[in-house]
């Protein structure tokens, strides 16, 4: 099974900051990497699929990059509504494992 | 508008069974693979199971293999998860999620609101 490891596990940042979250796969997954945002008590929301494709309706301040084993989610200028938990997920093969999550909090 | 509405979550005893349902609308259900993803209280997301658009191919996490069965009724636009031999560690919110195509594996582009399963004596 492929293990997904996110860093950091938590992060404090201010409105307007540029934020980067990392995700590493235990083996190469090409570009089969997706990012989700989850707010408390809500279902996850797809942000980025196939490493760098922005899901329809998602603000352009979100971007993804990487291939192979190392991937990054970047938020270019944090907005109040961006404080949430972020998960990466590989869809290279089953089980379609998730990272442990990165909680983004207000500084 | 894509809508996924889960139901069937309840309190169950260890060793018991539950059947979750997910009613889909707003898209051609029979053309898309579907998933179940769960989240234990205060924990992260865990992929549980997936099924191809026809139902001919199914996939399971090791943690539920042999105990859970995913299925679908394309005539009723409904996804199911039969959960047997329940354990305390199965306690979680269970989400139904749609894939962007019929192929699998894939990401999940739409999610339901979730249904809570609690396993306790």
């Amino acid at each position: 099974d492929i293990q997904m490891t996110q860093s950091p596990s938590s992060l404090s940042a201010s409105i307007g900051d540029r934020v980067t979250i990392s995700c590493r796969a235990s083996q190469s997954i090409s570009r089969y990497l997706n990012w989700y945002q989850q707010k408390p008590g809500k279902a996850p929301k797809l942000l980025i699929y196939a490493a760098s494709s922005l899901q329809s309706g998602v603000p352009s301040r979100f971007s993804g990059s990487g291939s192979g084993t190392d991937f990054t989610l970047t938020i270019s200028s944090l907005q109040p509504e961006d404080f949430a938990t972020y998960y990466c997920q590989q869809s290279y093969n089953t089980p379609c494992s998730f990272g442990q999550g990165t909680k983004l909090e207000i500084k | 508008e894509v809508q996924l509405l889960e139901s069937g979550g309840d309190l169950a005893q260890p060793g018991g069974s539950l059947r979750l349902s997910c009613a889909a609308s707003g898209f051609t259900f029979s053309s898309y693979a579907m998933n179940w993803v769960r989240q234990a209280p205060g924990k992260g997301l865990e992929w549980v199971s997936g099924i191809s658009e026809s139902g001919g191919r199914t996939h399971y996490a090791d943690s539920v293999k042999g105990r859970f069965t995913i299925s679908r009724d394309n005539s009723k636009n409904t996804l199911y998860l039969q959960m047997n031999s329940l354990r305390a560690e199965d306690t979680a919110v269970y989400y139904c999620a749609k894939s962007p195509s019929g192929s699998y594996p894939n990401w999940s582009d739409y999610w339901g609101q979730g249904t809570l399963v609690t396993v306790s004596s």
Side-chain angles (χ1 to χ4, degrees):
Chain A
D1 295 359
I2 298 172
Q3 310 302 317
M4 306 301 295
T5 304
Q6 290 181 230
S7 60
S9 296
S10 63
L11 175 60
S12 294
S14 301
I15 302 299
D17 282 355
R18 179 183 180 89
V19 166
T20 297
I21 298 170
S22 297
C23 178
R24 174 166 289 178
S26 60
Q27 66 182 73
S28 178
I29 57 171
S30 184
R31 292 176 61 80
Y32 293 92
L33 191 283
N34 316 299
W35 290 98
Y36 302 88
Q37 176 194 66
Q38 188 180 32
K39 297 181 179 179
K42 300 295 187 181
K45 172 187 173 183
L46 177 68
L47 299 176
I48 302 285
Y49 62 93
S52 61
S53 295
L54 192 68
Q55 173 69 353
S56 175
V58 174
S60 59
R61 63 180 180 273
F62 291 92
S63 63
S65 63
S67 65
T69 60
D70 293 302
F71 301 87
T72 299
L73 173 70
T74 300
I75 309 173
S76 60
S77 178
L78 271 176
Q79 298 303 300
E81 61 268 29
D82 299 338
F83 292 94
T85 300
Y86 293 83
Y87 295 92
C88 63
Q89 181 205 27
Q90 63 84 15
S91 51
Y92 181 77
N93 62 15
T94 58
C96 299
S97 41
F98 288 90
Q100 82 277 16
T102 296
K103 187 173 184 179
L104 179 54
E105 299 175 306
I106 300 174
K107 184 183 286 184
Chain B
E1 179 192 6
V2 172
Q3 291 195 349
L4 299 168
L5 185 61
E6 302 96 335
S7 61
D10 204 346
L11 173 64
Q13 292 200 335
S17 298
L18 282 176
R19 187 198 201 197
L20 305 185
S21 298
C22 172
S25 61
F27 64 103
T28 305
F29 182 70
S30 59
S31 295
Y32 296 91
M34 298 292 294
N35 308 284
W36 288 100
V37 176
R38 69 184 180 183
Q39 186 169 38
K43 303 298 184 182
L45 301 172
E46 180 187 13
W47 175 85
V48 173
S49 185
I51 188 168
S52 62
E53 76 279 21
S54 67
R57 285 168 289 129
T58 58
H59 310 268
Y60 298 95
D62 286 346
S63 57
V64 306
K65 199 172 294 182
R67 300 188 299 122
F68 290 11
T69 302
I70 190 172
S71 62
R72 63 192 296 161
D73 185 336
N74 286 346
S75 68
K76 295 183 178 180
N77 292 345
T78 303
L79 176 71
Y80 302 101
L81 186 67
Q82 178 66 43
M83 310 165 65
N84 298 332
S85 303
L86 283 163
R87 305 168 180 167
E89 55 264 35
D90 295 320
T91 294
V93 173
Y94 284 73
Y95 294 101
C96 163
K98 170 188 167 293
S99 287
S101 74
S103 63
Y104 208 87
N106 227 321
W107 57 91
S108 295
D109 56 359
Y110 290 92
W111 297 63
Q113 86 293 343
T115 188
L116 177 62
V117 171
T118 303
V119 183
S120 175
S121 56

